[in-house]
Amino acid sequence: MELENLLSKLEQIQDDGAFVFIKWDGERSQKKKTVLIEKPGADFFFRRDTDDLFSTIRDGINEYNAFFCTSI
């Protein structure tokens, strides 16, 4: 299942020392979901408000991998 795979990758990013935050905001009419990935002590910061949670999580993981030259 795609969700299990994405969650596994987010856990690997967490294990690497990063902060992962996913929020659903019911008060907004658009872009109700927020994905935030940040690694303390590094200049990496990913934040996006979205209606497409899965694509945004994938984008965050891909940007994390590109920034840190990893293959999570």
Side-chain angles (χ1 to χ4, degrees):
M1 174 183 250
E2 183 180 14
L3 179 58
E4 290 176 10
N5 185 39
L6 291 174
L7 291 176
S8 174
K9 290 179 181 292
L10 290 177
E11 286 181 355
Q12 290 176 47
I13 288 172
Q14 173 199 340
D15 291 344
D16 195 40
F19 171 78
V20 178
F21 179 79
I22 301 172
K23 178 182 84 159
W24 284 260
D25 189 339
E27 293 190 13
R28 294 188 214 161
S29 60
Q30 295 180 27
K31 298 185 178 182
K32 292 184 170 194
K33 299 162 190 84
T34 301
V35 176
L36 175 99
I37 304 172
E38 181 178 7
K39 188 164 183 182
D43 288 334
F44 181 79
F45 182 81
F46 175 90
R47 182 184 190 273
R48 187 174 301 162
D49 297 322
T50 184
D51 289 318
D52 187 348
L53 184 61
F54 292 133
S55 291
T56 303
I57 291 172
R58 278 193 302 270
D59 289 348
I61 292 167
N62 289 337
E63 287 189 27
Y64 186 91
N65 284 333
F67 187 89
F68 291 105
C69 300
T70 62
S71 59
I72 291 176

